[in-house]
Amino acid sequence: KAIEYLRAGLKGDASDQDSLEMIANCCHWAGRNDDAMTACRDALAANPVSFDMHAMLAQLLAEKGEHEDAAIHARKGLESYPEPLPEIPRIIISAFKVLSRIMPRLFSAASPDEALRRVEATRAEWFDWAKRYLSWYDLTYGDKVKPIEH
C-alpha cells in the first residue's frame, strides 16, 4: 500500500527525490528487487549523485550477477559517499532524555544519537562491501572494465 500511495503522490511531481527513494526502499524491503532497481534508476535520474540509490542499486545488481553495472554504481556510490553525520549537541540529547521520561510512548524509539550511530554503521558496512566488491571485480575482469561514465 505504501508504494501505491507514494506513486500516487508523484503524479504531481515526478522528480520528488524523497518519494522516489522511499519507493525504492519499500520495493527492496518487500523483496521486489526488479521494481527496486527501476525505482533506484528513476531516483538517480532526478539526482545522479544520490549515495543511497547508488549503494542500493550496486548491491541489487551484484546479487543479480550484473557485475559491470554493479561496479559502475559501486564506484559512483563511493564518489558520492556522504560526510560523517555531525554530533548531536549534548543539550538536545539531554532534552530528549528528559522528554522520554515525561512521555515514554511518544519517545519510545531509539535516541537520536543511537539512530545516527546506526546510520553511520550501515554506511560503513556498505563502504567495506563496496571496496571488497570492486577489488574482486577488478581482479576478475581486469582490463575488460569499461571506463565509468558520468
Side-chain angles (χ1 to χ4, degrees):
K1 271 296 203 203
I3 297 168
E4 293 173 25
Y5 290 130
L6 287 164
R7 285 198 173 125
L10 279 176
K11 290 182 180 172
D13 181 9
S15 65
D16 177 2
Q17 185 66 27
D18 293 330
S19 294
L20 291 167
E21 289 191 9
M22 188 52 71
I23 290 169
N25 282 306
C26 289
C27 289
H28 182 62
W29 296 329
R32 296 169 42 190
N33 290 346
D34 288 337
D35 291 338
M37 288 188 288
T38 299
C40 284
R41 287 184 176 106
D42 291 344
L44 287 168
N47 177 14
V49 294
S50 170
F51 163 76
D52 293 320
M53 294 298 96
H54 282 299
M56 183 188 305
L57 189 53
Q59 287 184 303
L60 291 171
L61 289 165
E63 289 171 10
K64 197 171 181 181
E66 295 181 22
H67 298 296
E68 186 173 336
D69 285 342
I72 289 169
H73 287 285
R75 285 189 175 95
K76 287 183 178 183
L78 290 172
E79 289 171 5
S80 60
Y81 193 78
E83 293 293 320
L85 295 170
E87 294 260 340
I88 296 177
R90 287 183 184 207
I91 186 81
I92 293 175
I93 292 172
S94 297
F96 184 85
K97 287 178 182 177
V98 169
L99 288 172
S100 67
R101 289 187 185 117
I102 296 169
M103 298 176 275
R105 287 188 182 181
L106 185 59
F107 293 95
S108 62
S111 74
D113 194 45
E114 291 171 28
L116 285 178
R117 280 196 295 267
R118 274 190 258 144
V119 168
E120 288 294 337
T122 301
R123 286 179 177 172
E125 286 173 20
W126 183 85
F127 184 86
D128 291 341
W129 172 86
K131 289 292 196 178
R132 287 190 318 273
Y133 179 77
L134 288 171
S135 177
W136 166 85
Y137 180 82
D138 291 342
L139 285 172
T140 304
Y141 295 99
D143 58 352
K144 299 178 221 169
V145 178
K146 291 182 183 176
I148 296 176
E149 296 177 21
H150 291 279

